[in-house]
Amino acid sequence: MKNVLRFILIAATALTIASCVTYYYDEEVESSSYGAFLAARYAGVNRDARSAADYYAEALRLEPGDPMLLDRAFITAVVTGDLERGAALAEISVAGGSDQRLASLYLGADLIASRRYDEALEVLEHPNDQGQFNLFMSDILSQWALVGQGEDSEAINSAQFVVAPGLLSGFMILQRAFLFEATGQLEEADAAYLSALANSPFRRMVTEEYGRFLEQNRRSDDARTLYTAFLEATPGEPSLTAALQRVERGGRAPRRLSTSQFAARAGFGPAVWLASETSIDLSVIYLRMLQRLDPSYVPLRDQIAGTLQRLGLPDAALEAYASIDEGPFARGARIDEILLIARQSRMEEATFMARSLVERDGFEEAQLILADLLRSQSLCDEAVGLYTHVINARASRGVASDWRFHYYRGSCLEQMDRWDEAEPDFLTALELSPDE
């Protein structure tokens, strides 16, 4: 448990752990190893995640038997997305007899992704003192290793007896749906998906996965009904809007999932839940572990990007956002990328990206972001035009106006000494939102 707690503290601040924890070398440790360690700490202070990971790896190369350096090298490699290095370091950790559950879980995921199911099960065997969430994730991965071995009945029976802390019981219903689907028990899978739809805290994910199942089993009408019902309650959700459009045009159903892809989706909801339940954001380690299982799963990459941003690792977050270059999540990723660049005071670059996005897609949110960026740089003439375009477009669609658009346009007009035009905007903003 001490190791788990130490890892939680490490993951909480991702790279600043390197700068906040004092490490004492004995006199026999080479100065070059210590220099790499100090360089890693310095990189951590400056939020340079990639450099910190490289320096910890170098320090470990020079001092290979040091368990603390192994922990740090593993954590920073995984946080920054160097999944190959993370797998190699996890293997060293496990082979060295470490009881570190995160390394064992990560290695187990790596072995499942490599279809080395026997070895994965061996690694995932766990003592009972490693914390409920780690035990839960280990159970999930073990069940998919059993499926990979062809031990379908054992995997499904195991899923009946998993102890799920907190709201995680809802995710176990989805896990059972996945297991039934993967093993060809389609009626049982259908019933489990319906149960998950009623009980899971992540209705969007369950809707998407159940819809995929329906499409793959030639039940497009049922999928259309499912997607439509969700979008009536949550208009504009990008992934399910795209799914509904696919069904309506008679598009090909999504590909069937592999064992490792099922495992990644089974762990995704719990990892996101963990982020919402703890002030220490350990979830990035689990999310990267799941990325090892399915690098192509875009909702996972999007969640990783947001988590890295929340941890104060902008370069790593921008790299993750940039990896989402197509599909229904791409538009949101571009918006988040632009806003993060702007927060780094790279206004010219952010403005260029926003302008390119407006010229390419022209959607309302991009226009508003460009207008806000221009306004913040006192480039008010163009900003006024964009705010006006959005206000008029919403009015033509019968969509209620937003007080902020009028207020920001009025502010720009005031800066341009056009008070007669600014005053009506301020009055409209006040009428729309009297308490602001």
Side-chain angles (χ1 to χ4, degrees), residues 422-435:
E423 184 179 17
D425 266 333
F426 288 138
L427 292 172
T428 298
L430 189 61
E431 180 181 345
L432 291 169
S433 185
D435 296 329

Side-chain angles (χ1 to χ4, degrees), residues 128-256:
N128 293 321
D129 62 347
Q130 295 297 324
Q132 278 189 307
F133 190 81
N134 282 336
L135 294 177
F136 178 78
M137 293 296 284
S138 182
D139 286 338
I140 286 178
L141 293 178
S142 295
Q143 287 155 21
W144 288 107
L146 287 168
V147 170
Q149 285 184 317
E151 301 291 343
D152 298 351
S153 295
E154 187 176 350
I156 291 170
N157 289 337
S158 171
Q160 306 298 321
F161 301 103
V162 171
V163 176
L167 293 176
L168 292 179
S169 58
F171 295 113
M172 277 311 301
I173 302 173
L174 183 59
Q175 164 75 337
R176 287 192 284 274
F178 285 152
L179 290 169
F180 284 130
E181 180 185 354
T183 58
Q185 301 178 59
L186 301 186
E187 290 186 10
E188 292 85 350
D190 188 74
Y193 276 122
L194 286 171
S195 179
L197 199 62
N199 294 285
S200 174
F202 282 179
R203 189 164 174 263
R204 187 212 66 80
M205 180 183 179
V206 177
T207 300
E208 184 175 35
E209 295 301 335
Y210 185 32
R212 170 192 55 76
F213 169 81
L214 294 171
E215 288 186 66
Q216 289 171 347
N217 289 282
R218 301 181 180 181
R219 296 170 58 186
S220 295
D221 289 343
D222 290 339
R224 180 187 295 108
T225 300
L226 178 70
Y227 297 145
T228 300
F230 182 92
L231 290 169
E232 285 175 354
T234 312
E237 198 288 322
S239 62
L240 294 175
T241 297
L244 179 59
Q245 291 170 347
R246 179 180 62 239
V247 170
E248 289 180 336
R249 68 171 181 269
R252 181 178 298 179
R255 289 184 178 183
R256 296 190 181 276

Side-chain angles (χ1 to χ4, degrees), residues 303-358:
Q303 185 70 31
I304 287 170
T307 302
L308 291 168
Q309 182 175 342
R310 190 165 58 248
L311 286 171
L313 301 173
D315 292 340
L318 288 171
E319 184 178 333
Y321 283 130
S323 74
I324 307 170
D325 55 2
E326 60 182 2
F329 287 88
R331 178 180 287 184
R334 294 291 75 72
I335 293 295
D336 290 334
E337 187 178 17
I338 290 167
L339 293 174
L340 180 53
I341 288 172
R343 290 190 190 102
Q344 294 180 293
S345 300
R346 296 155 57 184
M347 297 301 292
E348 185 174 341
E349 182 181 353
T351 303
F352 175 81
M353 291 178 65
R355 194 184 303 281
S356 298
L357 192 59
V358 169

